[in-house]
Amino acid sequence: MVFRRTFKSRRLYLRMKFLDRHGRHDKSFCYRYFRWVLSFSLSLYFFSSYLISSSSTTSSLHKATVSISRTSSVSRALFETNTTDLQQPRSQNPVLSRGLFNDLKVYIYDLPPEYNSDWLANDRCSNHLFAAEVAIHKALLSSDLRTVDPWEAHFFFVPVYVSCNFSSENGFPAIGQARPLLASAVRLISSKLPFWNRSGGADHVFVASHDYGACFHAMEDEAIADGIPEFLKRSIMLQTFGVRYRHPCQEVENVLIPPYVSPESIQSTLKRMPENVKRDIWVFFRGKMEAHPKNVSGHFYSRRVRTVMWQKYHRNRKFYLKRHRYDKYQSEIVRSVFCLCPLGWAPWSPRLVESVVLGCVPVIIADGIRFPFPDVVRWSQISLTVAEKDVGKKLGRILEHVAATNLSDIQRNLWDPVNRRALLYNNEIDVGDATWQVLHELSKKLDRSYRISRLLSQ
């Protein structure tokens, strides 16, 4: 890429100089032949010069990097690239390295293990619905858009796993460690390297994969009261929380991402029960449904939507509603025509992803919800939206009406593999997958990069 731009610019310069001397209207054969010979000869000269200079530049850059690491007080844990990471195979997909991402480069801080990898001792950390923070980090490490030279980076990814201990086995949220852990990480990177301070964190990227995203709290009123931490207000948040109306927890530069669903679990389910299996369940939901809606600390879970669902429809034979956990409940989704996706504490739910990738029409009951990657996933064509107030009286009639009119069209749109690809994270980035979509969204925010801002100002 560097050679192509260098070569074109030099050739254009020579051509302009030549034309300036001889005029544009001399079309003689001798002139054209002489110009071709001259251009070809000079091209060979510049190409050989480039190969020689490229080799020497690489060598000098390596020496300069070593010199920086020796003369500064940069922490080895932060600046030097982990040997294991370098040995990981890089993605060879040419689409990732071409101009689609505007030559985007991302530097990943190599933080001490207490900020991330130590948490992986618990298997739930990399598999539960908040595990996007782990999946994105892992995929970026092996991406060919990653750079190990921070001076050439456009964005800086800060891999702090704040959601690994988000939900204990009893289901009660516990995220009190998030703010101090993030604050500690920012103090570390800002004291050891210059990149946070020079932009105020504007080109730094964090993942907030839990209920209320950048507010780092599970309960909405507490999340709003606490607000977004002051030190993160200029950064970019990759968060699952998003609504179409103004909300304090999304008043930060953000990219909306899907919650994590294991691609291995999806593949396993489809292997056991292919998509063309008979869908003998008309309306499906399995999950927490409070008969008495008052829950933690006086909060009303799901704004009573799930309670109304249960009270109104659990005796209806067309509705397959279950309140207890079942490890293989994805096999029930594959058998279902409509999958109810009501809000929980927050509007979003992993059921959005599971329903789409397993071919069940998602029925979204979460007023004002904003969806991830709407330019790619055509949500209005693959799902239904039902207002929260209409669940008790109109839900059944709405589904009957859709079944009698355009259900086949919705299902046909749902089968588009683009949808499944965009909502799932892979260990290594695949074209069109969830991490690929994140990078594509970041490439639209290059104006926040300190490096780009400096070039524009010059």
Side-chain angles (χ1 to χ4, degrees):
M1 294 294 290
V2 175
F3 166 68
R4 190 176 295 119
R5 288 196 296 268
T6 305
F7 172 73
K8 285 185 177 178
S9 61
R10 290 177 178 174
R11 183 173 178 180
L12 177 61
Y13 171 77
L14 288 169
R15 183 178 179 185
M16 293 300 292
K17 293 289 286 183
F18 193 91
L19 288 173
D20 183 61
R21 292 183 181 179
H22 296 278
R24 294 179 178 274
H25 300 293
D26 186 354
K27 302 296 183 180
S28 68
F29 173 80
C30 292
Y31 163 71
R32 291 196 302 272
Y33 180 76
F34 175 74
R35 186 178 64 177
W36 181 87
V37 171
L38 179 62
S39 297
F40 181 77
S41 302
L42 289 173
S43 298
L44 289 176
Y45 168 76
F46 285 126
F47 180 72
S48 60
S49 299
Y50 168 77
L51 292 177
I52 296 171
S53 62
S54 176
S55 175
S56 61
T57 301
T58 302
S59 176
S60 62
L61 177 61
H62 175 72
K63 292 177 181 178
T65 304
V66 173
S67 176
I68 290 171
S69 64
R70 286 178 178 175
T71 59
S72 68
S73 59
V74 175
S75 164
R76 288 177 63 88
L78 283 167
F79 189 78
E80 294 183 5
T81 305
N82 190 294
T83 305
T84 305
D85 295 341
L86 284 176
Q87 292 173 349
Q88 293 184 21
R90 294 294 184 93
S91 170
Q92 298 301 312
N93 197 314
V95 178
L96 292 178
S97 56
R98 291 206 299 260
L100 183 61
F101 294 119
N102 298 318
D103 297 323
L104 179 71
K105 292 293 181 184
V106 180
Y107 178 77
I108 304 171
Y109 285 106
D110 188 9
L111 295 174
E114 57 263 31
Y115 292 96
N116 42 59
S117 59
D118 278 357
W119 294 92
L120 297 177
N122 183 345
D123 290 340
R124 293 182 72 244
C125 182
S126 55
N127 288 293
H128 65 18
L129 71 163
F130 309 113
E133 59 185 6
V134 180
I136 293 172
H137 182 203
K138 187 173 183 179
L140 288 178
L141 284 173
S142 60
S143 168
D144 62 355
L145 298 183
R146 175 194 179 189
T147 177
V148 295
D149 178 6
W151 298 98
E152 71 172 13
H154 298 105
F155 293 109
F156 297 80
F157 184 76
V158 189
V160 182
Y161 299 169
V162 301
S163 297
C164 276
N165 195 35
F166 174 79
S167 181
S168 56
E169 293 294 340
N170 62 15
F172 289 96
I175 197 171
Q177 80 283 355
R179 288 172 181 259
L181 195 64
L182 287 163
S184 172
V186 169
R187 283 195 299 270
L188 184 61
I189 63 177
S190 61
S191 65
K192 298 295 185 181
L193 294 172
F195 308 108
W196 174 276
N197 295 326
R198 71 180 186 180
S199 68
D203 50 6
H204 283 58
V205 183
F206 297 81
V207 181
S209 56
H210 41 276
D211 286 46
Y212 286 96
C215 285
F216 298 99
H217 206 288
M219 306 300 178
E220 186 171 18
D221 50 358
E222 279 89 347
I224 293 173
D226 291 345
I228 299 169
E230 194 65 33
F231 61 90
L232 292 179
K233 286 187 175 179
R234 295 195 62 191
S235 299
I236 302 172
M237 292 291 161
L238 311 181
Q239 59 182 46
T240 44
F241 171 71
V243 287
R244 293 194 300 271
Y245 51 86
R246 185 173 181 179
H247 194 287
C249 296
Q250 65 179 9
E251 291 180 356
V252 64
E253 193 71 24
N254 65 82
V255 173
L256 201 64
I257 62 174
Y260 182 80
V261 172
S262 166
E264 290 78 17
S265 70
I266 297 297
Q267 293 167 3
S268 175
T269 298
L270 290 176
K271 187 175 181 179
R272 294 195 312 270
M273 304 185 69
E275 293 178 22
N276 58 1
V277 69
K278 181 181 179 182
R279 294 189 178 265
D280 56 344
I281 299 174
W282 181 242
V283 184
F284 170 71
F285 178 83
R286 181 182 288 276
K288 192 174 185 179
M289 288 183 290
E290 301 302 320
H292 303 286
K294 216 166 191 179
N295 201 345
V296 181
S297 304
H299 296 276
F300 290 93
Y301 184 66
S302 189
R303 293 203 284 256
R304 297 189 178 93
V305 166
R306 298 193 187 190
T307 298
V308 173
M309 281 169 39
W310 176 257
Q311 292 175 342
K312 179 71 177 179
Y313 300 107
H314 80 280
R315 292 187 179 89
N316 188 322
R317 291 185 178 181
K318 288 189 173 183
F319 282 72
Y320 186 86
L321 307 182
K322 300 295 179 181
R323 301 172 62 183
H324 302 292
R325 292 179 179 273
Y326 176 48
D327 290 341
K328 296 181 180 180
Y329 90 110
Q330 287 183 358
S331 62
E332 297 171 316
I333 296 177
V334 175
R335 294 169 48 203
S336 303
V337 176
F338 295 106
C339 288
L340 302 181
C341 302
L343 72 162
W345 290 117
W348 61 271
S349 163
R351 293 172 183 82
L352 289 175
V353 175
E354 290 169 315
S355 300
V356 172
V357 301
L358 292 173
C360 181
V361 178
V363 181
I364 300 159
I365 311 168
D367 293 352
I369 187 173
R370 190 159 56 96
F371 301 106
F373 314 139
D375 293 340
V376 179
V377 181
R378 302 170 298 168
W379 291 98
S380 62
Q381 299 178 35
I382 64 171
S383 64
L384 304 177
T385 300
V386 177
E388 294 171 21
K389 64 180 179 60
D390 291 335
V391 171
K393 296 182 178 180
K394 297 182 180 180
L395 177 59
R397 293 204 304 269
I398 291 172
L399 298 183
E400 292 288 352
H401 175 74
V402 170
T405 54
N406 62 335
L407 176 59
S408 58
D409 292 335
I410 296 173
Q411 289 177 324
R412 185 164 51 251
N413 295 331
L414 199 57
W415 305 147
D416 189 340
V418 170
N419 301 319
R420 177 182 299 163
R421 191 177 305 122
L423 297 177
L424 293 176
Y425 300 91
N426 295 301
N427 291 335
E428 292 187 12
I429 299 175
D430 191 14
V431 175
D433 74 2
T435 309
W436 190 96
Q437 301 294 344
V438 167
L439 290 168
H440 184 55
E441 293 299 318
L442 286 177
S443 72
K444 300 176 185 178
K445 300 180 184 293
L446 280 172
D447 59 315
R448 298 182 63 83
S449 165
Y450 177 85
R451 181 182 172 197
I452 294 296
S453 299
R454 287 294 300 272
L455 289 174
L456 291 175
S457 66
Q458 293 171 3

